[in-house]
Amino acid sequence: FPTPALKPFFYGGGSVAFLNKAEQRNKIIDSDWEEVDITDDLKTADYSLVAGAGIELLGITVEGRYTHGLSDPIDPKTDDLLMNEAKNRTWSVMAGFDFF
């Protein structure tokens, strides 16, 4: 199936993500949105499974990726968030050029 000009690829594996900053937007009655920093209410790392596929054609790459969170990012030591459990799920689409 791969030819010199057309190169499909598939991959899968694990991923670790580290928290940089987290904000929550709250709607205040009769007012604008309020942004609240919730960084201290979340864990500093998140563990996920990743699966993706893409195609390279004449130095141009297009790729799709799905990331499925395995861990709950909410720190159990805090009661500030109004949810009991959460999971990160992400779909990504990327494109790139090969310069070499």
Side-chain angles (χ1 to χ4, degrees), residues 5 8 22 28 32 35 39 43-47 55 61 69-70 72 76 81 89-90 93-94 97:
I28 301 172
D32 292 331
E35 292 195 12
T39 304
K43 296 177 184 173
T44 58
D46 184 37
Y47 306 97
I55 191 163
T61 303
L70 298 175
D72 183 357
L81 296 179
R89 308 279 193 277
T90 306
V93 176
M94 293 157 278
F97 299 98

Side-chain angles (χ1 to χ4, degrees), residues 43-60:
K43 296 177 184 173
T44 58
D46 184 37
Y47 306 97
S48 305
L49 291 176
V50 179
I55 191 163
E56 182 182 331
L57 177 62
L58 302 173
I60 298 172

Side-chain angles (χ1 to χ4, degrees), residues 60-74:
I60 298 172
T61 303
V62 178
E63 175 183 334
R65 176 183 301 179
Y66 176 69
T67 305
H68 184 88
L70 298 175
S71 60
D72 183 357
I74 299 174

Side-chain angles (χ1 to χ4, degrees), residues 21-37:
K21 184 177 182 179
E23 293 180 340
Q24 178 177 328
R25 293 183 71 197
N26 297 330
K27 178 73 171 164
I28 301 172
I29 298 174
D30 297 328
S31 183
D32 292 331
W33 288 92
E34 171 192 43
E35 292 195 12
V36 179
D37 186 2

